Amino acid sequence: MPDNFKSTSALHGDAPAAAATTAWADRKELASAAFERTRMPIVITDARQPDNPIVLANKAFLDLTGYTSDEVLGRNCRFLQGEGTSPAAVAEIRAAIERERETNVEILNFRRDGSPFWNQLHLSPIKDDEGGLLYYFASQIDVTKHRMIQTLEAAEHRLLMEVDHRAKNVLAVVDGIVRLSKTDSAPLYAAAVQRRVQALAVAHALLAERGWRDVPLDEIVSRQVAHFAFGRTVMSGPEVLIPAVVVQPLALVAHELIVNAATHGALAQDKGRLQVSWQATGHHGGFNLRWEESGRRKAGSPPGAPGFGTTMVNAIVQKQLQGEILRDWTSDGLKINISIPGTAALSTAKGA
């Protein structure tokens, strides 16, 4: 520093928190060395000049921002701001300056080459012995990597919570299947449980393919039906996107209906046929589905006590999906109408 640079104010600085006698004697020179050699970017602005310009900047600040000393001195620090900088963060800095108070603000700044970085800014006023404002001290910490880590950790936490939620939902269904499936034969019981779990797995795979987003209704039904009625099924209807939370329970419904048709209904006969059609209704994911089995050799009649499959279908449609299901046994087969209202009804039911 040139010798003719003399202090123009009653500024004596802050006393060190700890200082030996020899260091105290050289405290001004040591403070100057520390300012320049620290790895923390620092600038000093002159609050007595118009627009509070930068009058001191250390090497770490120049390295961080990519600017030269000539491009920094005499400018307000706002030149580091740009598109994407939060107006709220700028307003917080402005308020602190107007009130002559310290503040800590995380703000998006930009280097000379235009690359962004997140700046943890600490701003503090420097006053003379009489309390008059002279300068502002501003230190910066590049927290871009830390912020990225926080974002990744938050995303990972959300993912783990979502996986946990989905796993619990599926396991709850599997638990119900295992407990409630009934048969006097151990092999038949094992087969019934296995095929229902496999139906869930097919739906899970479909969700994974779609990134756990909405899935077309025809894909949900066709993947369950194809295993039992390939070539004997006609499906028709517009695209209806089913929310991810509905896909697995709806797949179980389709699975139970097709298994019943293939073992006890029209598809158990050589000439049996299945027609599935639907229309979109109501809210997002709402639809009316018509399931028509035909081609039975003899007149059909309503069965006696419903089995587990029928009970499960009724429970899923009516209680879980807040819908309705109606069955009509005809002389030629069975007609089933299923009405699902969509996500609004599901949200209402969850909040009840």
Side-chain angles (χ1 to χ4, degrees):
M1 179 180 294
D3 293 337
N4 59 349
F5 277 31
K6 304 294 184 181
S7 176
T8 58
S9 63
L11 176 62
H12 296 96
D14 300 329
T21 303
T22 54
W24 177 260
D26 293 329
R27 64 188 182 281
K28 292 184 179 179
E29 289 73 16
L30 290 173
S32 178
F35 175 85
E36 187 57 32
R37 296 185 187 186
T38 180
R39 290 178 294 176
M40 176 178 287
I42 298 173
V43 297
I44 304 293
T45 64
D46 192 340
R48 297 165 298 179
Q49 295 187 42
D51 206 26
N52 203 17
I54 296 173
V55 292
L56 281 177
N58 67 356
K59 185 177 183 299
F61 179 81
L62 301 181
D63 291 342
L64 172 64
T65 63
Y67 287 94
T68 65
S69 59
D70 291 340
E71 293 171 321
V72 167
L73 293 175
R75 301 179 68 181
N76 185 284
C77 292
R78 74 173 66 89
F79 74 89
L80 295 175
Q81 300 169 17
E83 185 177 355
T85 299
S86 168
V90 175
E92 189 173 348
I93 294 170
R94 185 185 303 115
I97 292 174
E98 291 174 352
R99 297 174 185 177
E100 301 180 8
R101 294 181 179 178
E102 288 191 1
T103 189
N104 289 281
V105 181
E106 189 171 293
I107 185 170
L108 182 65
N109 282 161
F110 294 84
R111 300 180 180 88
R112 190 178 188 277
D113 63 6
S115 60
F117 68 97
W118 284 99
N119 183 5
Q120 182 64 55
L121 172 67
H122 171 72
L123 191 66
S124 179
I126 300 174
K127 299 182 180 182
D128 61 22
D129 296 343
E130 286 73 40
L133 180 63
L134 300 177
Y135 301 99
Y136 275 101
F137 168 91
S139 65
Q140 292 87 23
I141 300 176
D142 183 355
V143 295
T144 306
K145 291 183 179 180
H146 177 67
R147 190 181 179 95
M148 290 175 62
I149 292 172
Q150 286 183 319
T151 301
L152 289 173
E153 288 178 344
E156 181 182 7
H157 178 71
R158 290 194 299 270
L159 176 61
L160 290 174
M161 292 294 291
E162 183 65 19
V163 170
D164 180 66
H165 174 70
R166 292 171 182 172
K168 285 180 179 178
N169 285 346
V170 173
L171 290 174
V173 175
V174 172
D175 177 69
I177 290 172
V178 171
R179 287 187 298 104
L180 299 177
S181 294
K182 295 179 180 179
T183 178
D184 295 332
S185 168
L188 289 178
Y189 169 80
V193 171
Q194 183 179 30
R195 63 176 173 76
R196 284 164 178 153
V197 172
Q198 287 174 342
L200 283 176
V202 170
H204 186 90
L206 183 57
L207 282 167
E209 292 173 14
R210 289 274 175 170
W212 287 86
R213 297 184 177 89
D214 294 353
V215 177
L217 175 60
D218 66 310
E219 290 193 34
I220 300 171
V221 176
S222 63
R223 293 207 183 188
Q224 300 297 331
V225 168
H227 297 288
F228 297 90
F230 182 76
R232 292 199 286 167
T233 304
V234 176
M235 299 179 61
S236 62
E239 182 178 73
V240 177
L241 295 177
I242 304 301
V245 294
V246 179
V247 172
Q248 287 182 324
L250 187 59
L252 271 180
V253 169
H255 172 76
E256 292 300 323
L257 293 180
I258 190 60
V259 168
N260 185 72
T263 55
H264 306 294
L267 295 182
Q269 312 298 326
D270 293 338
K271 296 183 179 181
R273 293 291 183 270
L274 172 64
Q275 183 171 346
V276 184
S277 59
W278 59 84
Q279 292 291 331
T281 61
H283 301 282
H284 172 56
F287 62 89
N288 287 332
L289 182 142
R290 187 170 179 82
W291 180 282
E292 299 181 78
E293 301 175 26
S294 61
R296 298 186 66 175
R297 292 179 180 174
K298 57 184 178 180
S301 60
F308 170 67
T310 299
T311 301
M312 183 171 68
V313 167
N314 291 345
I316 291 174
V317 171
Q318 297 171 349
K319 296 181 180 180
Q320 186 172 357
L321 303 182
Q322 302 299 303
E324 295 180 354
I325 181 168
L326 298 174
R327 294 176 177 83
D328 180 22
W329 284 265
T330 68
S331 60
D332 191 39
L334 172 64
K335 295 181 180 179
I336 302 175
N337 286 305
I338 297 175
S339 178
I340 304 297
T343 53
L346 289 176
S347 300
T348 302
K350 289 179 181 179

